[in-house]
């Protein structure tokens, strides 16, 4: 049994996330966590809300609420939606937690002692219209590198080049649109990442099994232009973790808070402490401290490609620079973008389908299956309503759902609601078991490797194999001439339903539970062999005919949704 620590990129608190956010981190992380638990491994799966910074302040102001109250309410909203999508976090924490305050200040103190933090007097943009300093991401303008006219002051989304606000051409406030900006002097702390460039480069080079998407982004930030730059870790804001050197005050930093991108990754660690303090675990350090038991932990992170630089460079620099034996990530699974119907999903513009809207339309399994089977791994992928309808109707309704319905209803009509006895398995059954064993082995290999789309394709092929067997064996025809032969076919097919429930649990947990319940089966332990799994329900074992697992999406419904989600979110 292995010990596997899994984190997915923590979502911003400022609103409900869209399906692109979901498939870019949390959902594939859940797939992996569920699978690893089924295989008997010890798993700790953590996520949290990212609550600090200007996005939270602005969203709270727009809602007319104090920022702390707004964040508490939105944490509950995001927690309820993650539950709705059946995301199996062991704990869903908050970056505003006391645990993260303490740990972030601790890391800052350690980095200062190591000489890896420098104080810088710098010029920062102040907006007269907004009456505040503007954080980098709330200054927009034209990118000097590629000419994109909506580049942010910290990074250009178009070419991914790291920027300073003063680099932008024709800068403006992203809050008010005002160009009445003034550059004022202020003091900030910088993490001396440049001092760690060689150490980080060697570490990245050692990760030969990482996705090319992950390492290529990391190397671009390490080597492009002047190479890895020092990074500001403080901000002039009211909401955030106060700047301290451990438990001591930091002279000259009064009234400032740590930059959200400094404290947010540290929340992964703090979240484990929250997990223990919530009474769910008993020792968080055995997962995170290599001197206290974490040396045998495998740590896997899931995220969208826009988060890769901070997780491959800034967060590791924080951990390495502390000089303490914290657990570094072993594998980063990164994803490209999911686009929406010819354009892009956008939280700020309200474009696309958001998590709450999706669950109002259809149950979670419909979305989980489509998103995971179309995960943007090697390139960007696109959500279209036509593709969604076709995938749900074909894969879930016609292949899996139809198999379950045909087998259970036929058995009830001819043998009653029990697994029938009589008849022997023949060449067709032997061939099916052999085919399925090969496919299950392949499925396991893809799941172990976190190849999401390949895993989905193999699972679908396993469902198809059962359908093809049932169609060829034709128990409805065999029953007329040889009822015992029909009984053998049905007995195997009912066991196939249970096997499908077990194999499908990481992708479609609700349907899996419904199949197991209908089959009167308890638990979803992974099978040692297909042959053994197909003998799990003996003759005489009772079952019930389940409700329709998956309803087909009609053209009328699809057209209505296309129209509803074509414009801005209301």
């Amino acid at each position: 049994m292995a010990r596997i620590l899994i984190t997915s990129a923590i979502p911003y608190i400022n609103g409900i996330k869209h399906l692109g956010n979901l498939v870019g981190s949390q959902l594939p992380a859940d797939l992996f966590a569920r699978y690893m638990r089924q295989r008997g491994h010890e798993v700790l799966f953590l996520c949290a809300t990212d609550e600090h910074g200007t996005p939270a302040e602005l969203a709270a102001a727009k809602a007319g609420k104090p920022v702390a109250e707004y964040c508490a309410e939105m944490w509950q909203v995001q927690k309820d939606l993650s539950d709705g999508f059946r995301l199996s976090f062991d704990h869903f924490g908050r970056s505003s937690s006391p645990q993260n305050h303490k740990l972030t200040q601790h890391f800052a103190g350690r980095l200062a002692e190591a000489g890896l933090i420098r104080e810088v007097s710098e010029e920062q943009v102040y907006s007269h219209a907004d009456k505040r300093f503007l954080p980098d991401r709330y200054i927009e303008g034209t990118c000097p590198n590629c000419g994109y006219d909506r580049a942010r002051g910290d990074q250009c989304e178009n070419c991914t080049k790291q920027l300073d606000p003063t680099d932008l051409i024709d800068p403006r406030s992203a809050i008010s649109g005002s160009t009445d900006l003034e550059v004022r002097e202020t003091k900030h702390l910088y993490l001396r990442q440049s001092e760690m460039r060689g150490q980080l480069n060697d570490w990245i080079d050692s990760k030969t099994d990482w996705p090319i998407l992950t390492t290529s982004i990391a190397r671009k930030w390490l080597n492009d232009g002047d190479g890895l730059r020092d990074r500001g870790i403080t901000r002039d804001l009211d909401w955030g973790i106060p700047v301290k050197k451990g438990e001591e005050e930091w002279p000259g930093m009064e009234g400032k808070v740590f930059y959200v991108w400094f404290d947010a990754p540290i929340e992964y660690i703090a979240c484990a402490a929250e997990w223990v303090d919530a009474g769910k675990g008993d020792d968080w350090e055995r997962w995170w401290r290599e001197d206290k038991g974490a040396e045998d932990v495998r740590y896997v992170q899931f995220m969208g490609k826009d988060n890769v630089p901070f997780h491959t460079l800034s967060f590791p620099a924080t951990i390495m620079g502390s000089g303490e034996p914290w657990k570094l990530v072993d594998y980063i699974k990164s994803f490209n973008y999911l686009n929406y119907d010819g354009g892009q999903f956008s939280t700020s513009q309200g474009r696309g389908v958001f998590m709450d809207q999706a669950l109002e339309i259809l149950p979670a399994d419909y979305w989980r299956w489509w998103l995971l089977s179309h995960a943007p791994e090697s390139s960007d992928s696109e959500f279209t309503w036509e593709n969604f309808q076709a995938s749900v109707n074909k894969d879930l309704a016609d292949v899996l759902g139809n198999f379950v319905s045909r087998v259970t209803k036929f058995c009830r009509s001819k043998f009653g609601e029990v697994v029938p006895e009589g008849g022997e398995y023949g060449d067709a059954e032997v061939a099916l078991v052999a085919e399925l064993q090969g496919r299950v082995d392949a499925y396991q290999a893809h799941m172990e490797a976190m190849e999401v789309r390949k895993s989905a394709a193999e699972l679908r092929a396993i469902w198809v194999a059962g359908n093809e067997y049932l169609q060829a064996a034709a128990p409805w025809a065999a029953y007329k001439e040889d009822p015992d032969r029909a009984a053998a076919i049905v007995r195997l097919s009912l066991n196939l339903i249970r096997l499908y429930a077990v194999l499908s649990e990481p992708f479609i947990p609700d349907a899996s539970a419904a199949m197991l319940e209908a089959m009167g089966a308890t638990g979803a332990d992974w099978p040692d062999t297909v042959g053994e799994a197909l003998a799990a329900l003996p003759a005489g074992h009772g079952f019930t005919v389940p409700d329709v697992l998956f309803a087909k999406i009609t053209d009328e419904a699809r057209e209505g949704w296309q129209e509803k989600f074509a414009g801005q979110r209301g």
Side-chain angles (χ1 to χ4, degrees):
M1 181 177 74
R3 297 174 60 223
I4 301 170
L5 173 63
I6 302 170
T7 61
S8 61
I10 66 177
Y12 270 130
I13 197 71
N14 63 330
I16 293 166
K17 304 299 113 178
H18 56 67
L19 297 183
N21 297 133
L22 179 63
V23 76
S25 58
Q26 293 177 322
L27 191 52
D30 180 68
L31 179 79
F32 188 62
R34 286 176 175 275
Y35 173 73
M36 286 297 166
R37 290 191 194 106
Q38 278 189 293
R39 299 310 307 272
H41 301 306
E42 186 182 3
V43 171
L44 182 60
F45 180 24
L46 301 173
C47 192
T49 42
D50 185 357
E51 300 188 12
H52 294 137
T54 305
E57 289 188 353
L58 294 179
K62 186 176 180 180
K65 296 178 179 178
V67 65
E69 179 184 331
Y70 171 82
C71 288
E73 289 180 6
M74 285 306 302
W75 175 86
Q76 190 63 57
V77 168
Q78 293 203 18
K79 172 68 166 64
D80 290 345
L81 287 171
S82 72
D83 290 345
F85 275 96
R86 307 297 184 253
L87 303 178
S88 59
F89 303 126
D90 289 292
H91 189 72
F92 188 64
R94 303 181 62 185
S95 69
S96 62
S97 69
Q99 294 88 340
N100 198 36
H101 276 237
K102 181 178 179 180
L103 200 55
T104 297
Q105 292 164 344
H106 168 80
F107 270 108
R110 293 289 303 185
L111 291 164
E113 290 172 14
L116 290 171
I117 289 180
R118 60 187 175 95
E119 188 174 305
V120 176
S121 292
E122 63 177 25
E123 294 180 330
Q124 190 173 338
V125 176
Y126 183 87
S127 168
H128 291 280
D130 301 304
K131 296 183 173 58
R132 63 182 295 161
F133 282 103
L134 294 180
D136 299 352
R137 65 180 290 115
Y138 277 83
I139 306 166
E140 288 184 348
T142 299
C143 175
N145 185 52
C146 71
Y148 180 59
D149 66 358
R150 295 187 64 184
R152 296 195 311 250
D154 59 348
Q155 183 183 2
C156 176
E157 288 183 344
N158 188 55
C159 69
T160 74
K161 185 173 178 62
Q162 189 176 355
L163 299 170
D164 284 323
T166 52
D167 296 333
L168 294 173
I169 301 166
D170 299 325
R172 61 190 178 275
S173 166
I175 302 169
S176 62
S178 173
T179 57
D180 185 11
L181 309 178
E182 176 189 344
V183 176
R184 294 184 178 181
E185 187 172 289
T186 184
K187 286 185 178 181
H188 281 295
L189 301 178
Y190 271 66
L191 176 60
R192 301 177 68 189
Q193 296 182 145
S194 59
E195 295 294 311
M196 302 186 68
R197 182 180 178 278
Q199 189 176 353
L200 289 165
N201 190 66
D202 291 344
W203 180 66
I204 296 294
D205 283 347
S206 73
K207 302 301 182 181
T208 55
D209 62 331
W210 282 13
I212 293 174
L213 178 64
T214 302
T215 53
S216 63
I217 292 172
R219 290 194 175 101
K220 184 175 182 179
W221 280 58
L222 273 169
N223 302 316
D224 271 13
D226 296 329
L228 187 63
R229 295 158 66 175
D230 294 346
R231 188 79 175 166
I233 62 167
T234 57
R235 286 293 182 269
D236 291 298
L237 295 172
D238 297 326
W239 175 245
I241 297 176
V243 176
K244 284 188 175 183
K245 198 179 289 185
E247 296 181 356
E248 301 174 10
E249 298 300 325
W250 203 311
M253 291 293 119
E254 295 84 5
K256 297 182 189 290
V257 300
F258 285 110
Y259 182 26
V260 63
W261 262 111
F262 182 68
D263 81 75
I266 295 171
E267 168 59 18
Y268 293 137
I269 306 174
C271 187
E274 294 173 50
W275 167 70
V276 170
D277 291 344
K280 301 175 185 177
D282 57 8
D283 185 0
W284 66 269
E285 289 184 315
R286 69 185 282 265
W287 289 95
W288 279 108
R289 295 274 304 206
E290 293 191 336
D291 59 338
K292 296 185 179 181
E295 67 281 350
D296 64 344
V297 168
R298 185 180 187 223
Y299 178 22
V300 182
Q301 294 176 346
F302 290 79
M303 70 195 65
K305 61 185 176 183
D306 53 330
N307 285 328
V308 167
F310 299 98
H311 290 77
T312 55
L313 303 172
S314 299
F315 185 37
T318 298
I319 290 178
M320 293 176 184
S322 74
E324 296 176 327
W326 297 99
K327 177 67 184 174
L328 281 163
V329 65
D330 294 298
Y331 190 87
I332 296 179
K333 176 68 174 181
S334 56
F335 291 85
N336 288 283
Y337 294 139
L338 175 69
N339 295 319
Y340 176 74
D341 224 3
Q344 289 186 329
F345 279 94
S346 172
T347 299
S348 59
Q349 298 175 36
R351 189 173 193 282
V353 185
F354 289 72
M355 289 172 66
D356 58 336
Q357 298 168 325
L359 291 179
E360 289 169 6
I361 293 172
L362 289 168
D365 281 353
Y366 291 71
W367 300 105
R368 288 178 64 102
W369 174 252
W370 190 91
L371 290 167
L372 290 167
S373 62
H374 295 77
E377 290 177 290
S378 58
S379 62
D380 290 353
S381 57
E382 182 169 7
F383 176 91
T384 69
W385 287 102
E386 290 85 358
N387 187 294
F388 178 65
Q389 178 191 24
S391 182
V392 166
N393 289 356
K394 187 174 182 182
D395 298 349
L396 298 180
D398 286 346
V399 178
L400 179 61
N402 188 47
F403 179 83
V404 173
S405 179
R406 291 171 79 190
V407 171
T408 54
K409 288 180 178 177
F410 177 76
C411 186
R412 180 175 63 184
S413 70
K414 302 302 182 185
F415 302 103
E417 292 188 356
V418 294
V419 177
E421 59 182 345
E424 300 293 332
Y425 293 153
D427 292 344
E429 288 71 35
V430 171
L432 176 65
V433 169
E435 178 187 355
L436 289 178
Q437 188 63 63
R439 291 202 175 279
V440 169
D441 290 345
Y443 178 50
Q444 291 173 176
H446 292 319
M447 291 288 270
E448 295 275 353
M450 288 165 270
E451 296 172 326
V452 179
R453 290 177 76 144
K454 288 181 179 178
S455 297
E458 199 62 59
L459 179 58
R460 184 185 183 279
I462 291 169
W463 298 341
V464 168
N467 271 271
E468 291 176 344
Y469 162 76
L470 186 67
Q471 195 63 30
W476 44 87
Y479 184 79
K480 298 172 185 175
E481 303 293 332
D482 187 352
D484 279 353
R485 172 63 187 151
I489 297 166
V490 171
R491 188 165 63 251
L492 187 76
S493 297
L494 289 169
N495 274 282
L496 264 177
I497 294 173
R498 180 193 167 278
L499 176 61
Y500 287 169
V502 172
L503 299 178
S504 305
E505 195 274 345
F507 281 90
I508 45 174
D510 286 350
S512 168
M515 286 188 277
L516 285 173
E517 183 180 4
M519 292 300 102
T522 56
D525 294 336
W526 205 260
D528 290 330
T529 67
V530 169
E532 178 185 297
L534 294 182
L537 305 180
H541 180 88
F543 72 90
T544 58
V545 176
D547 294 332
V548 173
L549 282 181
F550 295 100
K552 284 195 172 186
I553 297 173
T554 64
D555 290 344
E556 182 181 20
R558 186 252 304 159
E559 289 165 2
W561 296 332
Q562 273 180 304
E563 184 177 350
K564 179 178 180 180
F565 297 104
Q568 298 288 314
R569 180 185 173 104

